[in-house]
Amino acid sequence: MNTTHDDLLATVREGRAAELPGLLGSLDRDRRKALLAGLKELRGELRAAGWARWQERDLMSPALLVAGAGCHTGAAAAAAWLGARDLRSWRQFPTDLLLDVLADRDPKWLGDLAHRLAARSATAEQDYPLISALVRLAGCPMPTTDGCVEGWAAAVGASHTPLATALREDPYATTLVPRLFETAEPVRALAGRCDPDHPHHWPAALAALAEAGHVDRAALLDGCTARLLRGGKPAQLKPYQAVLQGLRPTGAEEAERAADWIALTADAPSPVAGQAQQTLARLAAAGRLTPRLLAEMSAAALFRPEKKLVRAQLVLLGKELRRDPSAAPELLPVLGDAFGHPDTDIQERALNLAAAHLTDDPALRAALADQAPLLSPAHRGRAAGLFGASAGGAEDTGPYREILPPPPVQVPVAPAPETVAETVELVAALVNSRTVELDEFERALDGLVRHSRRDRAALADALGPALAGRWWLDPEESRYYIPSVQLPGLEQVAAAVLGAGPTREVHRPHVSRRSDCHHTGLRLAHHARLTEVARRITDRPLPFLLATPTAQTGSLDPEVLVARLAEYHRLGESPAPADFAQALLRVRRDPAAVPGAAALGTPEGDRLAAWLGRGGEGAPVTRRVAPAMGYRYTEEPERIVLDTGARPEVLRDFPNPFRELARPRDAAERCWDSGDDLALIAVLPEDRETLAAWWLPAITACAVHGGRGGAAVLPRLAAAGGPAGPALHLVIAVGLGARHPEDRLTAVDALLTLAARGELDGVRLGTDLAELLGLGTVKPNRLADSLRTAAATGAHETTWAVLAAALPALLTGTGSGTGVGTGELLALAADCVEQSGAATPEPAGLAAAAAGTGRSRLVTQSARLHEALRRNRCAADAPAGPRP
C-alpha cells in the first residue's frame, strides 16, 4: 500500500497525468481516501510556496487535478476540487483524463457532479466540454446555468458545419436556445459574426431554426423583445435586433407586442428605439395602432433628446393627422412635449404641426397654451396668436441673474499630529492606502520630522510594528534595492526613522523615461525634499518643516512662513535647502508680507522678501504654432504649443534638483508619464501659468488623439494660485474640445471656477477657441457640447461672452470647420442671448449668415441669434420696464 501510495504521489509530482487513470483504477475506496490526504498535503505545500515555485506548480497541476478527482467519493467535494483556481494552469483542461478516472462512477453521481460544476459561475463556461460529457454518461438533463449557455454557444459555434445545421443536430438546442435571451449578460457568441450571409451567423441561424420549426417562433420573439427591454449597450443589443429582423414578424405578431415597442421607443438606446419606432410606424400605417397608443408612444418619443427620433415621430404624427383628422384631440396635446426640446428647429416643427391641425376645441387650445411657455422666446409670440394670450407665458420683470458655482474655498491643512501614536496611525494608513491626499501626506511627513527630533527611539518603537511586513524591512528582499530610489513617499522617511535607509544620498531617482516631460522636474524636486528629510532624521533632525502647506491646494501662507523662519532663528537652526526651496515655490506672493520677512534679519528672510517681490515671478511662457507632423497612418494637424523660459533666481539660488524646474523647456511632443497630479501641482501651486504650459501636450492629446483622462488636472489648475493668464485659458480651451465627455466636463468645471473667482477673460478664451477651431484642434460639435453644459448650470452670460469672441472666425469663413457644427454653436449662442438678455454688438459675419437662403441649421440659427440681439438692444434702448 505504501509503495503504491508513494508511487502515485511521485507520479503527481513529476506531472505524469496520463498514467494516473491506470494507476487509480486498481485502488479501492479506502486506499483512495488515504491517497487523497497526501494530495491535499501536496496542494497545501504548493499554495504556501506562492509564485516562488510556479514552474513546479504548472507541471503538477493537471496531474493533481486528475488524481484528486479520482480519489474524491462525494460529488460536492469533487466539484469543489475541479473548480479550484489554484489547480488550473494555462494548459488545456484535462477533460479526457478526467472522464477516464470518473467513468466507473454511478450515473446518478455523474449527473450530480455535472450540475454542481455547471452551478460554479466562475468556471462553468470553461468546463462545458466536461459537463456535456458527464451529462451524456449520466443520461440526465443538460444544466441551463449562464455559464453552461456560454460554453454551449461557443462549442456549437466552433463546429465546422454551418451553424444552422449544427443547431438542428445538437441534442440540447431545444433546451438552451431560449436561454440565450435570459442570461444575466448577453451571450458573447451571438455577436461573433457581423455578416448575415456567413454560415456561422447566429441571428440568421436562429431565424432559420424557427422557420424550420425546430424551436418555437413565439418563444424567440418574446425572448428578443424581453432581452431588448432589459437594456444594455447598443453593441450588446445588436445581435438580438438582428434576430428580430431575421424572424420578420408578421403584422399580427407586431401588433400583439405593441406595448413592448412603445416601451422600447421610450427607454431603449437610440438604435433599438429607432427600430421599435419604425415597427410602430408600420402598425400605424396599417391601421393597427389606435390614437391612444400613438399618443402614448409619441409622449415617450418626443421627450427623448435624440433629434432624429423626435423628427421621425413628428413626421409620423403628421401622417396620422392627415389620414385621420378626427384624432387631433388625442394627438395634438402630446406636441407640448416637443415645445421644450433644446433644438428650436424641432420646436418650430411641432408648432407648425399644431397650427396645421388645430381645431376650435377650447380644451385643446388651453392644453397647448399651458405647454407653450416651454418654447423659445422666438416662437412664443406665434404661439400666443395660435393658442391665446396666456401662451406667451408670464413676463420676467426682474433682471437676469447669472448663476455661478461658489468660488473654491481654501481648505486649511490641519496641524501635524501631536502624539507619536497619532503620527504612527496616520503613516500606517497612508502607506497602506491606494490614494493619498496631499494634506494627509504633508501632516504625516511633518509629524515624522517633529517626533524624530523629540524622541526618535520612541517613534521607531511604535512605527516598527505598524509597518511590519513591508519588503524593505526584510534584509533578504531589500538588499537588492536602494530604498531612497525604490521607496515611495513616506516609506523613504519611515525607513530612515527605523534605521533601514541608505547612508548615501541619491539625487536622481528613476522617475521618467523622457527628459522633456514635465513630470521629470516636478518629481525630482519632490524626491529631493524627501531624501533631504530622510537624511536629516539620521544626522540632525529638523524641528519641523518649513514647506508644509497651509491649504490643501499646496499653497503656503506667507505670514505663516515668516513665523516659521522666526522660530528657526530663535532655535538657532538653519533651514534645510530643499525644504526652504519648496517653501518658496509654495508661498503665496503677497506684497503685504514683505516687511515682516525683511525684519527677520536673516539670509532666509531676505530671500523670502525678494521672492515675494519680483524674484518669485513665474517663468515666461512663449506661444507658437507647431507644424503638422505626418505619421505612417495619420497626419497630426498644426497645433498651438507653449514653451517656458528660464527662471534665473531658481537656477542661481536653489538646490540642484530644483533647477530642472527653471531651465528653458520646449513644449514636449508627448507626455509619457503619469502620476498623482495633485502632488505634482503642489510643487508649484502658485504658478498656474507654468503648470498649464507643461500640461498642454497631455490635454492636446485628449482633443487630437482621443486620449482619455489627461484633462482631469484642469479643475486643480484652475483652483491653484498665481495669475490666470494666457496659458491657463489656452489649456481650458483645448480641454473644452476633448474627445471624451468626462474630459470635457472637467474643462467646464475649470471654466466655471475661473468665472466664479472673477478671473475668466471671456474674450481671451473665445479668441483661443477661434484659433483652435481654425487649426482643427477643437471640433465645433465637441465645443458646443461643453459650452451647452456650462450654460445649463445657469452661466448663460459667461457662455455668451466666450461664444461672441469665437463665432466670427466661423461665420466669416476663417475657421477650417465652417458650417460643420457651427449651427449647434449658433443655437447655443441664441439660447444664451435669449436667457441672459445680452444686448452686445453682434459678431462679425452674423448678419450675412442670417440673410442666407435655404433652411440649413446655420442659416436658421444665425437668423434667430441676429433677431435675439436686435430685440435685446431695442429693449435696452427703450424706457425702463419689464425685460422681454
Side-chain angles (χ1 to χ4, degrees):
M1 172 179 174
N2 290 333
T3 302
T4 305
H5 180 276
D6 293 340
D7 288 345
L8 279 167
L9 287 180
T11 302
V12 172
R13 285 185 179 277
E14 294 170 10
R16 303 197 309 270
E19 300 177 16
L20 289 172
L23 296 175
L24 291 172
S26 61
L27 300 183
D28 58 20
R29 183 184 182 93
D30 292 337
R31 295 173 68 185
R32 292 192 184 198
K33 185 176 180 181
L35 177 60
L36 183 60
L39 295 174
K40 289 181 178 179
E41 183 178 347
L42 179 57
R43 178 185 175 186
E45 179 186 332
L46 287 178
R47 292 175 68 177
W51 287 106
R53 295 169 60 184
W54 68 269
Q55 291 176 313
E56 189 176 354
R57 178 202 297 248
D58 187 63
L59 175 67
M60 271 193 260
S61 290
L64 193 58
L65 191 73
V66 172
C71 290
H72 276 95
T73 57
W81 183 273
L82 291 172
R85 281 294 185 186
D86 61 300
L87 294 179
R88 292 171 179 257
S89 66
W90 56 269
R91 299 183 184 183
Q92 187 175 2
F93 197 64
T95 302
D96 293 338
L97 294 176
L98 289 170
L99 290 172
D100 286 344
V101 300
L102 296 173
D104 60 344
R105 304 296 179 93
D106 180 71
K108 185 177 180 180
W109 189 95
L110 293 176
D112 187 14
L113 176 62
H115 280 262
R116 289 181 183 276
L117 290 175
R120 301 180 69 89
S121 58
T123 55
E125 180 181 353
Q126 181 185 356
D127 293 349
Y128 175 76
L130 175 61
I131 294 170
S132 61
L134 292 173
V135 167
R136 284 195 299 272
L137 290 174
C140 66
M142 170 62 70
T144 59
T145 61
D146 288 3
C148 259
V149 174
E150 285 277 7
W152 169 78
V156 174
S159 171
H160 295 294
T161 60
L163 183 57
T165 303
L167 287 171
R168 282 196 298 270
E169 296 174 353
D170 189 271
Y172 310 119
T174 304
T175 301
L176 295 181
V177 163
R179 287 283 295 130
L180 292 171
F181 309 97
E182 299 170 356
T183 54
E185 295 294 330
V187 177
R188 293 189 300 275
L190 293 186
R193 303 287 179 180
C194 298
D195 183 6
D197 296 327
H198 194 281
H200 283 77
H201 186 252
W202 269 93
L206 290 174
L209 212 63
E211 186 176 355
H214 290 282
V215 295
D216 184 14
R217 174 184 174 85
L220 287 187
L221 285 171
D222 291 338
C224 281
T225 53
R227 189 63 190 79
L228 293 174
L229 285 168
R230 285 172 56 188
K233 297 179 180 179
Q236 295 175 324
L237 300 181
K238 190 173 181 180
Y240 303 101
Q241 289 181 264
V243 173
L244 204 57
Q245 290 173 331
L247 291 172
R248 295 190 294 274
T250 64
E253 291 172 330
E254 289 179 338
E256 184 181 348
R257 295 166 177 82
D260 294 334
W261 312 133
I262 292 174
L264 291 173
T265 304
D267 299 320
S270 290
V272 179
Q275 183 180 1
Q277 188 183 50
Q278 292 171 6
T279 302
L280 290 167
R282 288 195 299 271
L283 292 176
R288 293 177 176 267
L289 200 65
T290 65
R292 181 186 61 80
L293 288 177
L294 181 57
E296 181 182 345
M297 168 210 180
S298 300
L302 296 178
F303 194 71
R304 295 186 65 113
E306 299 95 334
K307 290 180 283 190
K308 181 179 179 180
L309 292 176
V310 176
R311 284 195 294 264
Q313 193 63 31
L314 291 175
V315 170
L316 175 58
L317 283 172
K319 289 181 178 178
E320 280 303 294
L321 286 168
R322 287 192 295 272
R323 189 181 69 84
D324 182 13
S326 64
E330 283 193 90
L331 297 181
L332 285 185
V334 300
L335 292 176
D337 292 315
F339 289 173
H341 197 279
D343 189 342
T344 56
D345 289 342
I346 286 178
Q347 294 180 15
E348 185 177 6
R349 286 172 182 248
L351 195 58
N352 289 339
L353 189 58
H357 300 279
L358 192 63
T359 68
D360 294 332
D361 184 354
L364 175 59
R365 290 177 179 267
L368 291 171
D370 289 341
Q371 299 292 326
L374 299 174
L375 290 163
S376 163
H379 299 311
R380 289 177 192 167
R382 185 185 176 201
L386 286 172
F387 312 133
S390 63
E395 291 186 339
D396 184 1
T397 58
Y400 168 77
R401 290 182 58 193
E402 184 85 343
I403 300 175
L404 293 172
V409 177
Q410 289 284 4
V411 180
V413 174
E418 294 184 358
T419 66
V420 168
E422 291 175 326
T423 300
V424 169
E425 182 181 0
L426 181 57
V427 170
L430 295 179
V431 164
N432 292 289
S433 176
R434 291 180 179 271
T435 58
V436 178
E437 296 295 334
L438 172 68
D439 59 334
E440 297 298 309
F441 173 85
E442 290 288 347
R443 290 182 63 234
L445 183 63
D446 198 19
L448 288 174
V449 169
R450 290 171 184 264
H451 291 290
S452 292
R453 182 181 175 95
R454 295 171 189 171
D455 190 345
R456 179 183 166 191
L459 177 62
D461 289 342
L463 191 60
L467 299 182
R470 308 304 295 181
W471 65 265
W472 44 269
L473 288 173
D474 185 344
E476 287 299 317
E477 291 192 44
S478 63
R479 63 178 176 170
Y480 301 108
Y481 302 97
I482 303 174
S484 66
V485 174
Q486 301 292 337
L487 292 186
L490 285 176
E491 293 190 67
Q492 183 183 160
V493 181
V497 172
L498 297 173
T503 57
R504 67 184 186 277
E505 179 181 359
V506 181
H507 283 293
R508 284 189 72 87
H510 181 68
V511 293
S512 179
R513 292 177 289 170
R514 288 178 61 98
S515 61
D516 59 348
C517 174
H518 62 272
H519 288 88
T520 303
L522 293 169
R523 290 195 176 188
L524 282 173
H526 177 71
H527 177 80
R529 179 169 173 247
L530 292 175
T531 302
E532 178 184 76
V533 169
R535 189 184 69 251
R536 289 295 297 266
I537 280 177
T538 59
D539 296 345
R540 184 182 176 185
L542 297 167
F544 51 83
L545 294 177
L546 294 173
T548 302
T550 55
Q552 289 185 356
T553 59
S555 294
L556 175 57
D557 186 277
E559 299 292 347
V560 172
L561 181 55
V562 169
R564 290 175 181 173
L565 287 173
E567 181 64 14
Y568 259 64
H569 182 59
R570 187 188 69 81
L571 295 172
E573 289 286 347
S574 297
D579 185 41
F580 182 54
Q582 179 63 88
L584 291 179
L585 293 176
R586 283 179 171 173
V587 72
R588 190 175 70 253
R589 295 181 63 243
D590 184 357
V594 172
L600 291 173
T602 63
E604 291 78 20
D606 294 340
R607 283 184 62 187
L608 175 58
W611 184 266
L612 294 174
R614 296 185 58 86
E617 291 181 351
V621 179
T622 306
R623 175 175 176 147
R624 60 185 172 90
V625 176
M629 298 180 63
Y631 291 93
R632 183 175 180 181
Y633 300 109
T634 60
E635 181 173 321
E636 181 179 295
E638 291 183 326
R639 67 209 184 283
I640 302 174
V641 297
L642 299 174
D643 303 325
T644 52
R647 298 183 71 176
E649 293 81 1
V650 176
L651 290 174
R652 182 182 64 247
D653 301 329
F654 279 50
N656 186 59
F658 285 81
R659 295 173 187 172
E660 185 70 26
L661 300 172
R663 293 190 176 95
R665 185 186 300 274
D666 290 340
E669 297 296 340
R670 294 286 189 276
C671 177
W672 298 103
D673 209 340
S674 62
D676 185 355
D677 291 336
L678 182 57
L680 298 183
I681 289 174
V683 176
L684 293 174
E686 290 295 317
D687 192 359
R688 285 185 289 187
E689 285 293 280
T690 299
L691 292 172
W694 290 350
W695 252 277
L696 178 61
I699 298 172
T700 301
C702 293
V704 176
H705 303 294
R708 188 188 294 271
V713 72
L714 286 175
R716 295 173 177 175
L717 288 180
L728 183 58
H729 281 75
L730 178 62
V731 294
I732 292 175
V734 175
L736 292 172
R739 175 181 178 180
H740 297 289
E742 60 269 27
D743 286 316
R744 296 199 294 270
L745 187 59
T746 59
V748 172
D749 287 343
L751 184 155
L752 295 175
T753 296
L754 289 189
R757 294 173 63 163
E759 297 174 331
L760 179 68
D761 186 337
V763 174
R764 182 192 296 278
L765 182 60
T767 303
D768 285 341
L769 286 169
E771 185 174 3
L772 293 167
L773 287 165
L775 293 172
T777 304
V778 169
K779 292 179 170 54
N781 59 331
R782 296 178 185 172
L783 176 60
D785 178 74
S786 297
L787 294 182
R788 187 179 297 110
T789 301
T793 67
H796 297 99
E797 194 171 68
T798 299
T799 306
W800 165 242
V802 174
L803 282 169
L807 284 175
L810 294 174
L811 293 172
T812 57
T814 57
S816 64
T818 302
V820 182
T822 307
E824 292 293 328
L825 290 172
L826 286 163
L828 174 59
D831 286 338
C832 292
V833 169
E834 290 170 351
Q835 293 292 332
S836 66
T840 57
E842 63 182 42
L846 179 62
T853 58
R855 294 287 299 168
S856 70
R857 187 162 178 77
L858 189 148
V859 172
T860 57
Q861 295 302 324
S862 294
R864 178 187 166 207
L865 176 58
H866 176 74
E867 175 59 23
L869 287 170
R870 184 199 65 78
R871 188 169 60 246
N872 289 347
R873 285 196 298 271
C874 291
D877 293 338
R883 181 171 65 83

